[in-house]
Amino acid sequence: MNFNKLKFGDTIGIIGGGQLGKMMAQSAQKMGFKVICLDPNPDSPCKPVAHEFITAAYDDEKALHELGEKSDVITYEFENISAEQLNRLTQQFNIPQGYQAIQLLQDRLTEKQTLEQAGSKIVPFLSIKSEKDLNDAIHTLGYPFIVKTRFGGYDGKGQVLVKDETALQEARALITNQECVAEQYLDISLEVSLTVTIGNHKQITYFPLQENEHRNQILFKTIVPARTDKEQEARNEVNKIIDQVHFVGTFTVEFFIDKSNHLYVNEIAPRPHNSGHYSIEACDYSQFDTHILAVTGQKLPEQIEILKPAVMMNLLGRDLDLLEEQFSSHPEWHVHIYGKSERKPDRKMGHMTILTNDLNETEKDMLKQFEGRE
């Protein structure tokens, strides 16, 4: 696929003004592009760094059309936008990412079915619409299994781990008003993710495999390079997905590795991802740099060089309460504060990246710093 190549001074429209939109805008600006952002929150992180800001709901057709009229290309920072409206926008404006990935991946059932069609290795799953389907999951998948809503939900929201009969009531409550997906629970040894950018002429650029740890369903830390031999296998799985789904720009595929060292595709984020934030300092191009290069029609780097191994820690509201006074005493901590107006204990307020020659020792040191988080 070929698409328009932007010039210095051209304008990038971003749907979504959270931290991802902010970091996209910062990459765009250093390359000489202007940025317009649309978000319903007038205090969103992207507003202070955008040349223009449109305060409007994501489904406000008039506002989206205004964004299109003022932009030379449109991109988005998250997947929970209307695929139908995005489709209509693609018919009028330059949106190289299209709407298909959003349409497929914002629905967990369709995502699983798409991965199955691609030949990806995934855990067994079932569509759950009724009490009967839930009973079928018990017999087909066996305990434990996870019930997730088909639409919405992130950072652990909209899902229930069903370990035994005692958790069935919570699962029944979840399926009362919405369709769900049940997935067989894996005995996980490691979680990893692979961030990839696809550009003009189907150029593909891979970032190094990322090792992740979640706490309370929220990403706690990322270590790069991942301490596993699964990088090439992960790339092979991504290549299957690329053949099935239209991508332009940066996206991330998350994987599980079980106790038997088998790799499974978990889910796909069709935009820059939390686990790729380390790339701002640790790589010669960040995931946001390559995203902007891709959507503006520029040539991508053939490969990403990791400049130094890194540990990236998410900073929630409770982490700022714990560590804020220490930041100025640690110049080796590359701290990013997103600029969200309200600090909440479990809200992502920023992240920090530590470059290191000894991943294991740095990991231990940082875990000590976060001992008061729980």
Side-chain angles (χ1 to χ4, degrees), residues 154-205:
Y154 62 94
D155 290 343
K157 299 176 178 66
Q159 60 180 265
V160 176
L161 173 60
V162 184
K163 294 182 179 180
D164 50 40
E165 289 185 10
T166 59
L168 283 175
Q169 190 58 40
E170 192 176 355
R172 290 188 185 103
L174 193 64
I175 68 172
T176 298
N177 298 312
Q178 53 198 318
E179 295 181 19
C180 294
V181 176
E183 302 172 10
Q184 190 174 75
Y185 181 79
L186 280 180
D187 193 5
I188 298 170
S189 171
L190 197 64
E191 297 177 60
V192 296
S193 59
L194 190 63
T195 295
V196 183
T197 305
I198 297 183
N200 207 353
H201 301 292
K202 294 189 177 180
Q203 301 167 82
I204 303 175
T205 296

Side-chain angles (χ1 to χ4, degrees), residues 116-373:
E116 193 173 49
Q117 290 167 9
S120 299
K121 189 170 184 181
I122 57 175
V123 297
F125 68 94
L126 289 174
S127 172
I128 303 293
K129 298 180 181 179
S130 65
E131 179 84 15
K132 178 184 179 301
D133 294 334
L134 193 60
N135 291 330
D136 288 345
I138 296 169
H139 297 293
T140 304
L141 303 178
Y143 294 118
F145 60 91
I146 302 174
V147 177
K148 301 179 179 179
T149 56
R150 282 184 62 176
F151 300 94
Y154 62 94
D155 290 343
K157 299 176 178 66
Q159 60 180 265
V160 176
L161 173 60
V162 184
K163 294 182 179 180
D164 50 40
E165 289 185 10
T166 59
L168 283 175
Q169 190 58 40
E170 192 176 355
R172 290 188 185 103
L174 193 64
I175 68 172
T176 298
N177 298 312
Q178 53 198 318
E179 295 181 19
C180 294
V181 176
E183 302 172 10
Q184 190 174 75
Y185 181 79
L186 280 180
D187 193 5
I188 298 170
S189 171
L190 197 64
E191 297 177 60
V192 296
S193 59
L194 190 63
T195 295
V196 183
T197 305
I198 297 183
N200 207 353
H201 301 292
K202 294 189 177 180
Q203 301 167 82
I204 303 175
T205 296
Y206 300 95
F207 284 80
L209 191 65
Q210 300 140 189
E211 175 185 332
N212 305 317
E213 179 187 340
H214 288 79
R215 293 191 179 183
N216 299 320
Q217 307 297 326
I218 301 173
L219 183 65
F220 175 61
K221 73 174 186 293
T222 295
I223 290 176
V224 182
R227 294 167 294 189
T228 177
D229 61 356
K230 293 294 186 179
E231 180 153 3
Q232 187 56 55
E233 187 175 346
R235 287 192 181 191
N236 293 342
E237 290 297 316
V238 168
N239 290 337
K240 295 176 188 176
I241 295 166
I242 289 170
D243 288 340
Q244 193 74 22
V245 183
H246 168 81
F247 287 109
V248 171
T250 296
F251 66 99
T252 294
V253 180
E254 298 180 70
F255 301 88
F256 293 140
I257 301 174
D258 70 8
K259 293 291 178 64
S260 300
N261 202 34
H262 295 134
L263 184 83
Y264 295 87
V265 176
N266 176 30
E267 59 186 21
I268 306 166
R271 37 75 183 170
H273 190 259
N274 196 169
S275 64
H277 290 349
Y278 71 92
S279 60
I280 296 171
E281 283 85 23
C283 298
D284 55 349
Y285 291 81
S286 78
Q287 64 168 339
F288 302 100
D289 294 338
T290 54
H291 181 77
I292 296 300
L293 289 173
V295 299
T296 59
Q298 319 297 318
K299 185 176 180 180
L300 295 180
E302 292 185 6
Q303 62 181 20
I304 298 298
E305 297 289 343
I306 183 165
L307 305 176
K308 205 168 188 178
V311 178
M312 189 280 292
M313 310 291 297
N314 254 345
L315 296 172
L316 307 182
R318 66 186 64 197
D319 300 319
L320 295 192
D321 295 339
L322 181 69
L323 298 172
E324 189 169 357
E325 295 302 317
Q326 299 185 46
F327 290 156
S328 61
S329 301
H330 290 275
E332 74 277 13
W333 294 357
H334 296 273
V335 179
H336 296 251
I337 302 299
Y338 300 147
K340 296 178 180 178
S341 56
E342 186 179 359
R343 183 184 299 188
K344 298 178 182 178
D346 291 320
R347 192 182 193 192
K348 294 176 185 175
M349 303 300 295
H351 72 270
M352 65 179 177
T353 300
I354 304 95
L355 307 182
T356 179
N357 291 316
D358 190 334
L359 283 174
N360 293 333
E361 192 61 34
T362 299
E363 180 186 26
K364 289 178 184 177
D365 289 344
M366 295 316 301
L367 290 176
K368 290 178 184 177
Q369 296 290 342
F370 282 77
E371 279 179 352
R373 168 190 261 217

